[in-house]
Amino acid sequence: MALDKEEMSEKVLAIAEALLNEGGAENLKARTIAEQAGISVGSVYNLFADLDEVHRAVNMRLLDRLGATGLAAMADLERQGVTDVQHRILAMAAAYVSFVEAHPGSWPAVLAFNRRRATRPGPDAYDALLDALFDIVAGVLKAGDFGLDDDRRALAARTLWSSVHGIVTSGYVANSNSRQAEEIWHQIELLVGVFVKGLEHGGAFAHAETKSD
Amino acid sequence: MALDKEEMSEKVLAIAEALLNEGGAENLKARTIAEQAGISVGSVYNLFADLDEVHRAVNMRLLDRLGATGLAAMADLERQGVTDVQHRILAMAAAYVSFVEAHPGSWPAVLAFNRRRATRPGPDAYDALLDALFDIVAGVLKAGDFGLDDDRRALAARTLWSSVHGIVTSGYVANSNSRQAEEIWHQIELLVGVFVKGLEHGGAFAHAETKSD
DNA sequence: CCAGGAAATGAACATTGTTCAAGAACGATT
DNA sequence: AATCGTTCTTGAACAATGTTCATTTCCTGG
């Protein structure tokens, strides 16, 4: 007996992830997958409806792993007794940056794919995974005492994490040499530092007061 | 006589922009362009080396227009005597959001394309246009008195603008209904508020001091 | 009016995603 | 064991696409 249906799907996804990492979305070809998996091209379409579904499944795995990495990093700090909010957020950001650097080809593909499904209906497993990341950040912010209620803390978490995300992706627009990595990290340090300082000084919702005049 | 070579290129780019806006990158097809422009498919390749070059040219136009829009918004505020940094940054962000909303299909394509050229050599016209956007923000930050030297102000500008960019693109990952637009704007207001407050209280480079110990 | 170069053409090729009719493998039932 | 029905696998076939290039068409200077 060869491989289970489940096992073969795993194998296909592993191959697909490698292909995406090497050459981005346009390198994910049905025939290449089939050849490397030792099955026929038709069998690929038996396991997955189309290549988009393969791509989606790969992205899910990546997001899942990213969440696990973030949680592990938080657990490490917990074990070391680090409670400083700024340190913990920076650790999360570091995990994120490392993850993106470890997947130079497939991470852009995650983002590009993400946008393509804007037409689909309501929230799905994708959003659930992204929300999990936001929740980790929100948990860290809860430790700091910024006088935020749950809603505002959640908003702050999404804002902060989206900003980190923007810095990372903008940074990798240009050539990804080491100078770029340094620039990204400088930006992240600046963002987190300013953000925490701003929250401490109650700048979070000052605009709401001036706006509701 | 029909159209000039230059004029025909313009026509092709206008068609290409419309196609990208409707269906994203995968909707940019040589035969569709040729048909709509009233020329043959070969002629498209006479005007542009390949579809990537068409896509790039469209993106350049978009970035150019975005820069012009931002400058116009700044000029408007100048005329009204608005000097408040927070207001001006928010106006820039509003221009950015409006622009993205006005190009729901092609803006994702700009970003996706942007990443694909990570392998190419040094900086090019693309980076120049992005730098122009950063410079506008840096100019606004210069008005506020945060005690920043030129380098740090430039870093802060890139950080702030990349963050806005991240919020906008993250926001449009999910369905782009009006609730999403509201969420985006809440995040931007929070970010800008916290950022300015953080700069005011010198939180910008606290980390640098603790790090260089 | 003509020669020569420039531009336009679209048929042709290679590569892709996807389908599907035909066959193979397998399990249950008699 | 034999038979049947179901399910899975296969790979040839189709349509769509990017790109090329020999041929044709067009224009312009003499």
Side-chain angles (χ1 to χ4, degrees), chain A residues 184-199:
Chain A
I184 288 176
W185 194 243
H186 281 154
Q187 289 191 29
I188 288 178
E189 283 182 320
L190 171 60
L191 171 75
V192 175
V194 166
F195 207 95
V196 171
K197 265 291 196 278
L199 284 181

Side-chain angles (χ1 to χ4, degrees), chain B residues 42-192:
Chain B
S43 293
V44 175
Y45 283 84
N46 181 304
L47 297 171
F48 299 89
D50 52 23
L51 288 187
D52 259 29
E53 197 179 300
V54 176
H55 196 160
R56 173 188 300 256
V58 170
N59 289 352
M60 298 274 246
R61 280 161 41 122
L62 287 173
L63 287 176
D64 217 21
R65 268 187 256 158
L66 174 56
T69 305
L71 281 177
M74 291 304 94
D76 273 1
L77 288 186
E78 192 94 26
R79 210 171 301 126
Q80 296 171 16
V82 175
T83 59
D84 181 53
V85 171
Q86 190 163 337
H87 265 118
R88 294 172 74 186
I89 297 287
L90 284 175
M92 272 292 288
Y96 184 60
V97 170
S98 296
F99 193 84
V100 173
E101 282 175 345
H103 304 85
S106 47
W107 188 249
V110 169
L111 303 174
F113 183 85
N114 237 354
R115 296 204 184 73
R116 215 187 308 155
R117 86 207 160 82
T119 61
R120 306 254 178 129
D124 59 353
Y126 236 92
D127 300 306
L129 287 173
L130 292 177
D131 283 349
L133 291 177
F134 287 130
D135 285 346
I136 299 175
V137 177
V140 173
L141 287 184
K142 193 165 190 172
D145 188 19
F146 301 118
L148 298 172
D149 58 50
D150 283 359
D151 283 349
R152 291 180 169 183
R153 186 165 47 240
L155 177 65
R158 287 196 297 272
T159 302
L160 177 52
W161 196 245
S162 295
S163 298
V164 169
H165 164 76
I167 289 171
V168 173
T169 57
S170 292
Y172 278 107
V173 160
N175 307 343
S176 64
N177 43 26
S178 58
R179 285 202 58 214
Q180 210 63 28
E182 214 177 318
E183 163 77 12
I184 288 175
W185 194 242
H186 280 154
Q187 289 191 30
I188 288 179
E189 283 182 321
L190 172 59
L191 171 75
V192 175

Side-chain angles (χ1 to χ4, degrees), chain A residues 31 39-43 46:
Chain A
R31 286 168 178 80
I39 59 181
S40 72
V41 55
S43 293
N46 180 304

